[in-house]
Amino acid sequence: MAAWRRQVVASAVTLVWTLAVPAAPVHAAAVETPHVTAELIAQRSAVQPGQPVQIGLRLQHIPHWHTYWRNPGDSGLPTTLIWTLPAGSGIGQIAWPAPRRLPIGPLVNYGYEGDLLLPLSYTAPADASPGSTLSLRAKADWLVCKEVCIPESATLELRLPVVDAQTTPGASVHTPQFERAAAQQAVPWRGGQASVQQAGRELLLTLEFNPPRPAAGKLPAVHVFPYAEQLLEPARHTLYQTAGGYAVKLALMDGAQAPATIDAIAVVQADPAPGAPTIWGNSHRAVEFSAPVRVVPAIQLPDGATPLPTGSGTALPQRGNTDLGLLAALALALVGGMLLNLMPCVFPVLSIKLLSLVRHTDRPRALRIHALAYSAGVVLSFVALAGALLALRAAGSAVGWGFQLQEPGVVFVLALLFFAIGLNLLGAFELGHLLPQRLAQWRSQRPALDAFGAGMLAVVAASPCTAPFMGAALGFAFTQPAALALAVFAVLGAGMALPYVLLVLLPGWRARLPRPGAWMLHLRQALAFPLLATVVWLVWVLGQQAGIDAAAQLLLALVGFSVLVWGLGLPSGRGLVARVFGTVALVALLAWSWPATLPREPTRATPAAAAAPSLRAADTLSAAWQPYDEAVLAQRLAQGQPVFVDFTAAWCVSCQVNKRLVLNTDASMQAFAQSGVALMRADWTRRDDVITQALARLGRSGVPVYALFAPGREPVLLPEILTHRTLREALAALPDPRS
């Protein structure tokens, strides 16, 4: 009787699970951090004793934040799981979905954005009792990054019901997500073979289909991701189509030794349509392969190899300059540095230096010392600025040339500095009168210090500008090891100092300079006004970055500084109170003003929302500039419409000049409209990693950059100094939309 009752109870339990379990979700509590929502999920609603079931870690990232693949690339850490399982359980390794390339300035990382599932196989204990519930716990650790990287962790739990061997577990609400994750995983490549040529650090990977693909038609772009960390430089990835398939130029990292074989995956850039075959011969977008390495004297591309744009994990084309070459980059840096002296942000400072040159035309030795000290100040300042920039990039910050002016605090200090120099040129105060007598005497005996400081000041003034040829050189520098990047910056500084050095060292040039006289005082006072105009511009930049209140507070700080200077100019008896009052006023105003200038998250208009009206009326070109949005840009190109992108910043003087003289004129707007070109403006006034990555894909690291995108073509980069003629010629070269 007891046996009969137990059989009835078991049958009842089986019936209940058969009817109820397929519709009931397994129990798992999600953990939400500021950047990621994490939870453990299962593909099926239950598990049978001793049988496997797919479970996984689900990470839902907030927009523009990412975590990493098993090989994170240039920086980052892969996600890890530490399990606490019921006795007799088995757990497999993470079946990593194919990652994306995530450019961060000159670096490239491998990882994921959006909704991610990291699946793995769990096997229940063979003695698990039907009707019981298994509790699976895991400590998950991940590194989530955007402009900064933040390590996060969570302790997660998944409760799996157990059914008997006669009951088939039903699907869970997460089953479709597991199916998508399975389609994103790499499968062994059966339709071809891979091999690698090695010459020094240079590698050439060839992927040949078997049987060969038809020669007609362009193959889709692929990305190659090696399994081994710290083996290949992620940023070196040049793709070619060959008669047999693909060729990819890669490079070993510094100090890395090529193994006998390289294990990697190749990923089609675009997701295939559901059920549609890809170039790999199945519905998967990624394959894994093992490529033997063969050492050769020199890398040779197959005959007829043609380059393919690879993008950076998006549908956007890119234009890199990693093949520019070191000598060419150094030559461009030298010429760009020389032209930097003609930029409106540098010319006032250089004019002050030339004014001091006139005072010493009769002292050749003193002139040579000044020239050497000035050059040292320029070159060392460029190297120091480059070192800081490279260090920030290595730490994960997406920064580029002019990065310091993206911080309102730096703009605040520069405005005070240029205001002080302007008052000094007008004769409101002399620096020597402010210093203690011994320090003033020590300074007067070392005039080279003034020249060195002038060189540093010139670099500070030059940082908002990008001269012609300079952008390509800097773009190359940020794709190279630190030593080569610093060499490019040093040559850039040498080019900037070269015109002044030539003027000093060649006596024929000095003979043409006017003799010292009363005119020098008038010229010195006149040079104050461009510097005061620079202060006005910096106040406007601060207003763009931190609001009108911050601009007003900066103006009050300038007033406080003026009170201090006025007090210093009074006779000692009456001036004591004024000096004390001025000092207290300046310190109080600085203390009150400074908090408003601290960096904060920029307020940007939602690009998709801003662009929505023009997308609903795609046949009508709006003359207004739309905020930069990569999704909208890709959609425009997919619709066959060219797009002109203005990469600009409020602190970039060249940008503002080009905007007023060329871009925002009626003639240019009419030319854009006649060519059917959509207009976008990428505002880099505040730090923005999306724009920084877009610049890196174009081989640039600073503004201004003017890029003309056309469907099926690489972007065309216009010169840093725009003219109506160059703009018209670029638009005229666009394909006829009617053809």
Side-chain angles (χ1 to χ4, degrees):
M1 188 69 177
W4 178 82
R5 288 178 179 175
R6 286 196 297 270
Q7 184 176 2
V8 170
V9 171
S11 300
V13 169
T14 300
L15 179 61
V16 169
W17 280 112
T18 302
L19 296 176
V21 167
V26 293
H27 177 73
V31 174
E32 186 173 346
T33 74
H35 311 98
V36 170
T37 299
E39 61 179 331
L40 293 177
I41 61 175
Q43 184 180 21
R44 314 301 295 181
S45 60
V47 63
Q48 296 171 323
Q51 296 301 310
V53 63
Q54 285 287 306
I55 64 173
L57 172 64
R58 184 184 185 187
L59 298 177
Q60 300 176 74
H61 307 79
I62 66 173
H64 309 305
W65 289 74
H66 61 269
T67 53
Y68 294 93
W69 187 51
R70 54 178 289 181
N71 171 11
D74 273 317
S75 61
L77 292 171
T79 300
T80 60
L81 291 166
I82 300 177
W83 291 95
T84 302
L85 302 173
S89 298
I91 194 75
Q93 299 295 320
I94 294 176
W96 296 89
R100 292 180 50 203
R101 290 169 65 87
L102 301 170
I104 307 293
L107 308 179
V108 173
N109 295 331
Y110 305 148
Y112 312 94
E113 295 179 339
D115 195 346
L116 168 68
L117 174 61
L118 299 178
L120 53 149
S121 178
Y122 167 74
T123 302
D127 58 354
S129 300
S132 65
T133 300
L134 300 175
S135 177
L136 287 63
R137 291 184 177 89
K139 183 179 183 297
D141 294 278
W142 61 85
L143 185 68
V144 59
C145 300
K146 185 187 174 188
E147 294 178 355
V148 297
C149 289
I150 301 173
E152 294 182 343
S153 64
T155 300
L156 307 171
E157 183 180 17
L158 175 66
R159 298 177 65 83
L160 278 175
V162 181
V163 296
D164 60 31
Q166 287 73 40
T167 303
T168 302
S172 74
V173 294
H174 303 296
T175 298
Q177 190 166 2
F178 280 89
E179 293 172 350
R180 290 192 297 269
Q184 294 171 354
Q185 293 166 13
V187 296
W189 189 27
R190 309 294 185 190
Q193 53 273 340
S195 62
V196 174
Q197 300 177 37
Q198 178 195 358
R201 290 180 56 210
E202 301 298 317
L203 302 175
L204 182 68
L205 166 68
T206 56
L207 301 172
E208 297 183 349
F209 293 102
N210 186 18
R213 298 284 174 171
K218 182 179 290 187
L219 289 174
V222 300
H223 291 147
V224 175
F225 300 92
Y227 283 141
E229 297 185 46
Q230 302 299 309
L231 177 64
L232 303 181
E233 289 189 6
R236 301 288 294 276
H237 189 284
T238 307
L239 180 65
Y240 299 86
Q241 180 175 343
T242 66
Y246 292 99
V248 189
K249 279 187 177 181
L250 305 167
L252 293 171
M253 284 189 168
D254 284 333
Q257 299 294 326
T261 59
I262 292 179
D263 298 320
I265 65 174
V267 183
V268 178
Q269 178 172 304
D271 287 319
T278 69
I279 59 170
W280 311 123
N282 52 51
S283 60
H284 285 70
R285 59 187 290 256
V287 295
E288 61 180 354
F289 58 86
S290 182
V293 178
R294 179 170 56 93
V295 178
V296 296
I299 296 296
Q300 294 290 335
L301 278 171
D303 293 338
T306 57
L308 288 173
T310 60
S312 296
T314 68
L316 300 180
Q318 68 175 353
R319 173 176 172 170
N321 58 352
T322 56
D323 295 330
L324 181 63
L326 179 60
L327 292 179
L330 294 177
L332 292 176
L334 183 67
V335 176
M338 295 174 64
L339 294 177
L340 199 56
N341 291 287
L342 303 178
M343 297 294 101
C345 46
V346 184
F347 193 75
V349 177
L350 186 62
S351 300
I352 297 172
K353 193 59 195 166
L354 293 177
L355 183 63
S356 66
L357 176 64
V358 175
R359 299 193 186 99
H360 302 91
T361 52
D362 56 344
R363 300 165 58 192
R365 184 175 181 276
L367 282 176
R368 288 193 292 271
I369 294 176
H370 272 69
L372 181 62
Y374 174 79
S375 302
V378 171
V379 173
L380 292 180
S381 297
F382 265 108
V383 172
L385 191 62
L389 201 158
L390 293 173
L392 288 172
R393 285 173 171 260
S397 295
V399 295
W401 176 249
F403 71 97
Q404 66 276 21
L405 287 172
Q406 293 176 326
E407 300 299 331
V410 175
V411 176
F412 189 98
V413 172
L414 286 180
L416 285 176
L417 175 63
F418 281 105
F419 185 67
I421 296 174
L423 293 183
N424 173 257
L425 292 177
L426 288 173
F429 72 95
E430 294 294 337
L431 182 61
H433 297 164
L434 304 181
L435 300 175
Q437 183 175 359
R438 288 187 179 181
L439 183 58
Q441 183 179 2
W442 182 85
R443 173 177 169 268
S444 65
Q445 294 172 352
R446 293 165 177 81
L449 289 178
D450 287 339
F452 185 87
M456 296 178 61
L457 182 62
V459 174
V460 171
S463 58
C465 290
T466 301
F469 308 110
M470 180 176 159
L474 294 184
F476 171 83
F478 291 130
T479 64
Q480 304 303 308
L484 294 182
L486 292 177
V488 173
F489 273 90
V491 172
L492 182 64
M496 183 175 176
L498 185 59
Y500 180 77
V501 173
L502 291 177
L503 191 61
V504 168
L505 298 181
L506 299 180
W509 292 25
R510 298 200 308 267
R512 299 184 181 182
L513 294 175
R515 295 296 179 185
W519 64 271
M520 294 177 59
L521 176 61
H522 302 306
L523 178 59
R524 169 178 166 158
Q525 294 172 344
L527 289 175
F529 296 106
L531 291 177
L532 295 178
T534 302
V535 175
V536 174
W537 163 64
L538 289 171
V539 172
W540 175 75
V541 171
L542 185 63
Q544 295 290 314
Q545 293 177 327
I548 190 64
D549 290 344
Q553 290 166 339
L554 173 56
L555 291 173
L556 284 175
L558 298 179
V559 171
F561 187 83
S562 302
V563 172
L564 176 62
V565 170
W566 169 73
L568 294 172
L570 291 176
S572 58
R574 292 178 297 167
L576 179 60
V577 176
R579 284 194 291 271
V580 173
F581 173 75
T583 303
V584 173
L586 177 61
V587 171
L589 286 170
L590 286 177
W592 179 65
S593 303
W594 188 259
T597 68
L598 292 178
R600 65 170 182 258
E601 190 72 17
T603 55
R604 296 178 60 196
T606 303
S614 60
L615 287 176
R616 288 194 296 267
D619 297 334
T620 303
L621 175 66
S622 173
W625 293 83
Q626 302 295 326
Y628 180 73
D629 186 319
E630 294 185 346
V632 177
L633 173 57
Q635 184 173 356
R636 294 285 194 182
L637 295 176
Q639 294 172 351
Q641 184 179 21
V643 181
F644 182 89
V645 181
D646 171 22
F647 292 89
T648 184
W651 42 261
C652 171
V653 180
S654 304
C655 302
Q656 305 308 318
V657 172
N658 289 333
K659 193 180 300 181
R660 284 160 176 76
L661 296 184
V662 179
L663 289 180
N664 288 354
T665 62
D666 291 339
S668 296
M669 287 299 179
Q670 291 176 5
F672 284 128
Q674 291 171 359
S675 301
V677 176
L679 303 177
M680 284 189 175
R681 182 154 282 154
D683 189 350
W684 208 39
T685 301
R686 292 297 303 269
R687 189 175 300 175
D688 188 315
D689 60 337
V690 174
I691 296 176
T692 305
Q693 294 167 18
L695 288 169
R697 289 195 294 272
L698 296 172
R700 295 295 184 266
S701 64
V703 292
V705 171
Y706 305 104
L708 182 58
F709 294 82
R713 296 188 175 189
E714 287 191 358
V716 175
L717 300 185
L718 277 63
E720 286 86 353
I721 304 300
L722 274 183
T723 65
H724 284 96
R725 179 178 179 181
T726 57
L727 183 60
R728 287 196 305 269
E729 290 176 350
L731 295 177
L734 290 172
D736 189 345
R738 296 168 298 182
S739 59

